[in-house]
DNA sequence: CGCCGTCTTGATTCGCCTCAACCAGTGTGG
DNA sequence: CCACACTGGTTGAGGCGAATCAAGACGGCG
């Protein structure tokens, strides 16, 4: 089934509502990097009252689908997802990867339906935040409103970074940049910045970076041969961060 | 100096404050596609009271510069701007073009300083909207808050479109898509969708699309030879919209 | 006029894609 | 239990599209 250590045991096809799902924002390890950042403890209860936590998504399940009505934005509690949109000619473009503590779904706000789809790359626990309620709440909580603006603005700047990456950088620079991005996001969650497991396939990486699988594979091999990385399938160890940093040559 | 017909005569190096600058949102042709969209007439006065209109920007002047403190977002009243950010190796990446009725500067919200620079491609009139005031105001005007969210969300979806374009499409597809985008945005402003003047140089187009000047030039020539376009320097006429549409093959 | 920036066009080069083969791990059914 | 298919990853050979390099055309302007 899933190759990763399942901390949440969901073996039934249609699991009953386990109480494990009912985690609170107060106790959530990710509360500092997720939504509640700018909200004080009193207000947190109000925010929490509108958040819904359903059963975890299994690997391969869709969180939402492109062109369907937009209702909520989502915060990743555990696992990993990819965002992608279909192109006219049947292919797809991966627009982002979402790790624990990150928020997705905000591209659906503008016109009432999702502009992209989101799919679980591994078993993932998700907080659903109905946007109507969030909007109403944020009108009375200036800190929350500000945080939402910041969250969306960050998404914009990150997209611009990716645009630069795709427009200007070589295959090696793109791969290096992605690895460093994941490394940094892991560090933010108190995980190892030098050793981690990629949640996504080579295909997804290539798709995200505008490259083919073969190119991704070749770059990994080259970086390994040069002693920059140790690659064992999805298991990555960054041996020489400085060289990787230089290889990334990142912009913005 | 400027190669384009200057409709606003500002010949002095430091022009005094002309009353032409004091246009109101009520009389602005662009009010439907700019900010006030979701605001009723009574509230419009409150919004307008925080908007500042300074002297027009001359071609080549910066509206704001990357890494400087973020204060305001801006709406284009006339003219055109490009947004861009510098890459580590001294080059730059154009991240967008901004035409009348469009809003820019929102990438600075997330961390208090601009993530990109903005430069006038021709003489441009700009409305400056201090973000602090806007934020306070939007807390009491739900329609305005909603509109701001939508505006930022649209920026995200448009960035994702560009990402797809850069990741998956050929030179010809990219150029065609840009032309159609400008055409559509002109139509929104009641201008001709088939005949217009590009405000930006070939260099800027190439930079934006992740291509070189030479490639842009070649694509224009090819499209002209095939009878899809008539190109006369920056003057463009779309002769065969259907073929251009097919050439664009756009995604998302 | 001659200079300069922008644009165009041609010849060559190079990075990545395409196509193809192969391998390892995993699941499946006889 | 093994044969088999299948998925995901790696590696190699060759081709193509866009970059690079180089030269020239055009237009504005001192």
């Amino acid at each position: 089934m899933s190759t990763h250590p399942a901390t949440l045991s969901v073996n039934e096809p249609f699991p009953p509502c386990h109480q494990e799902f009912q985690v609170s924002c107060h106790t959530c390890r990710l509360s500092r990097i997720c939504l509640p950042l700018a909200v004080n403890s009193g207000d947190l209860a109000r925010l929490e009252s509108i958040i819904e936590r359903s059963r975890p998504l299994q690997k391969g399940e869709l969180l939402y689908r492109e062109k369907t009505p937009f209702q909520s934005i989502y915060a990743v509690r555990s696992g990993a997802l990819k965002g992608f949109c279909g192109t006219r000619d049947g292919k797809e473009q991966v627009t982002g990867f979402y790790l624990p503590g990150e928020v997705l779904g905000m591209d659906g706000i503008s016109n009432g339906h999702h502009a992209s789809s989101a799919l679980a790359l591994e078993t993932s626990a998700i907080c659903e935040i109905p946007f109507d309620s969030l909007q109403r709440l944020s009108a009375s909580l200036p800190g929350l409103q500000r945080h939402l603006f910041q969250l969306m603005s960050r998404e914009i700047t990150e997209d611009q970074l990716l645009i630069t990456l795709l427009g200007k950088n070589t295959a090696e620079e793109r791969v290096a940049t992605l690895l460093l991005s994941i490394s940094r996001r892991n560090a933010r969650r108190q995980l190892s910045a030098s050793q981690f497991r990629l949640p996504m396939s080579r295909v997804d990486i290539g798709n995200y970076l505008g490259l083919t699988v073969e190119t991704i594979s070749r770059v990994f091999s080259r970086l390994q041969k040069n002693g920059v990385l140790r690659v064992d399938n999805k298991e990555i160890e960054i041996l020489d961060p400085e060289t990787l940093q230089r290889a990334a040559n990142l912009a913005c």
Side-chain angles (χ1 to χ4, degrees), chain A:
Chain A
M1 173 167 290
S2 170
T3 57
H4 102 129
T7 49
L8 293 161
S9 61
V10 183
N11 298 320
E12 313 86 332
F14 299 103
C17 186
H18 289 167
Q19 58 271 44
E20 293 98 296
F21 304 157
Q22 305 304 325
V23 185
S24 98
C25 288
H26 287 91
T27 62
C28 181
R29 278 187 320 106
L30 301 170
S31 63
R32 310 243 98 204
I33 47 183
C34 169
L35 259 185
L37 182 74
V39 182
N40 69 42
S41 165
D43 298 333
L44 191 52
R46 295 176 60 189
L47 172 60
E48 188 157 354
S49 71
I50 69 168
I51 294 182
E52 300 168 10
R53 295 182 185 79
S54 47
R55 73 177 183 86
L57 244 54
Q58 294 296 90
K59 177 176 178 172
E61 284 186 298
L62 278 171
L63 179 56
Y64 52 82
R65 186 191 301 269
E66 194 177 349
K67 296 196 177 77
T68 57
F70 166 79
Q71 305 275 356
S72 308
I73 65 175
Y74 303 87
V76 184
R77 217 161 67 244
S78 73
L81 296 94
K82 70 168 175 181
F84 63 98
C85 36
T87 68
R88 173 170 296 193
D89 45 351
K91 287 177 290 191
E92 63 180 54
Q93 168 72 39
V94 173
T95 53
F97 299 111
Y98 302 94
L99 304 183
E102 298 175 351
V103 176
L104 68 160
M106 293 178 296
D107 57 8
I109 297 170
S110 68
N111 58 0
H113 60 255
H114 290 287
S116 60
S117 307
L119 182 141
L121 295 171
E122 37 187 67
T123 306
S124 303
I126 308 288
C127 294
E128 175 174 356
I129 311 163
F131 191 69
D132 267 0
S133 316
L134 184 61
Q135 206 166 223
R136 267 194 301 278
L137 185 58
S138 74
S140 65
L141 297 180
L144 179 59
Q145 188 201 49
R146 228 176 76 98
H147 191 62
L148 272 173
F149 283 137
Q150 289 180 345
L151 215 54
M152 297 183 70
S153 173
R154 181 157 339 154
E155 182 97 13
I156 293 172
T157 60
E158 273 163 20
D159 281 350
Q160 287 182 353
L161 225 106
L162 182 55
I163 288 168
T164 306
L165 198 66
L166 295 182
K168 296 268 176 302
N169 294 68
T170 65
E172 190 159 317
E173 290 166 338
R174 299 184 203 185
V175 172
T177 303
L178 175 60
L179 288 177
L180 287 172
S181 163
I182 292 177
S183 163
R184 224 168 304 141
R185 286 145 84 187
N186 278 345
R188 231 166 62 116
R189 292 151 50 207
Q190 327 287 0
L191 300 178
S192 169
S194 64
Q195 211 168 353
F196 47 86
R197 184 174 190 286
L198 295 175
M200 71 293 279
S201 72
R202 301 282 194 271
V203 180
D204 287 332
I205 296 177
N207 195 323
Y208 177 68
L209 296 176
L211 301 166
T212 57
V213 209
E214 295 95 323
T215 301
I216 303 299
S217 184
R218 278 184 248 272
V219 171
F220 274 157
S221 299
R222 203 180 319 146
L223 288 174
Q224 170 148 262
K225 199 165 63 185
N226 298 349
V228 182
L229 296 181
R230 202 181 51 69
V231 183
D232 175 18
N233 208 339
K234 299 195 163 163
E235 218 63 56
I236 301 284
E237 185 178 358
I238 299 178
L239 301 171
D240 185 349
E242 287 76 23
T243 306
L244 193 62
Q245 196 68 251
R246 244 176 297 117
N249 190 25
L250 30 60
C252 280

